[in-house]
Amino acid sequence: MSRSFKNKGSLIIEALLAVVILSTSLSLILQSLVASLRANVYSVDYTQALILLESKMNESLMKGKTTEGSEEGDFPEPHERYSYVLKTQPLTGEDEENLDQLMLSIAWNTKGKKNNISLETYLFKEEEDESREGVGLEERWNHTDAVLHSLNFF
């Protein structure tokens, strides 16, 4: 009789150990799933910010002429969580007299965490020539329109 009592005790310990291992495994799997979902949300937000960054920079480059200073704003719906800051300044130096520096930054909040992405480029200042005025304007607008339509994919 004492022998069967020992077997029952070991069976309970084995069952308890199996439950501990199973609960630990399930806990780790659920944590991995939650981390994966967070990464997916961040990836979607980051991709949308890249699209908005490209669109705003193309819009600025299509204008051709820049004015020194800073411009801030929010994007319209459905992208109202995103805001931008565009800074333009002329470069000074011997080799850089006809260049403007454009710095664009997009910011957004995700669950209380502030995120941002920035892009910097240079724009060559063309000398004003009235004979070339309006040339290529239609091509610029078609390209800008195509970029703006690409925003509807997300």
Side-chain angles (χ1 to χ4, degrees), residues 1-128:
M1 195 171 195
S2 66
R3 197 169 216 194
S4 66
F5 181 71
K6 286 182 182 179
N7 286 341
K8 286 183 183 179
S10 67
L11 186 61
I12 291 173
I13 290 174
E14 288 175 5
L16 193 59
L17 187 59
V19 168
V20 168
I21 291 172
L22 182 64
S23 64
T24 303
S25 301
L26 286 175
S27 171
L28 292 175
I29 289 171
L30 288 175
Q31 286 177 356
S32 297
L33 183 62
V34 168
S36 174
L37 290 173
R38 284 185 188 145
N40 190 24
V41 167
Y42 181 76
S43 175
V44 168
D45 288 348
Y46 189 79
T47 302
Q48 186 62 53
L50 283 173
I51 291 170
L52 293 170
L53 182 77
E54 181 182 14
S55 173
K56 190 66 179 172
M57 186 57 81
N58 281 338
E59 180 183 316
S60 299
L61 293 175
M62 290 299 126
K63 290 178 184 176
K65 295 180 183 178
T66 59
T67 56
E68 185 178 351
S70 180
E71 174 188 343
E72 296 182 24
D74 295 324
F75 288 97
E77 279 192 32
H79 313 292
E80 63 274 355
R81 292 182 340 159
Y82 299 88
S83 61
Y84 69 91
V85 176
L86 175 65
K87 294 179 182 176
T88 307
Q89 63 186 25
L91 292 179
T92 56
E94 237 176 74
D95 299 331
E96 304 163 341
E97 62 186 47
N98 286 335
L99 290 176
D100 280 340
Q101 181 181 25
L102 279 73
M103 296 167 286
L104 178 62
S105 179
I106 305 286
W108 72 98
N109 288 325
T110 304
K111 296 184 180 179
K113 183 180 176 192
K114 189 159 186 140
N115 302 295
N116 65 21
I117 186 170
S118 299
L119 177 67
E120 184 176 315
T121 190
Y122 300 93
L123 184 62
F124 183 72
K125 294 184 218 175
E126 294 183 22
E127 295 180 15
E128 293 196 25

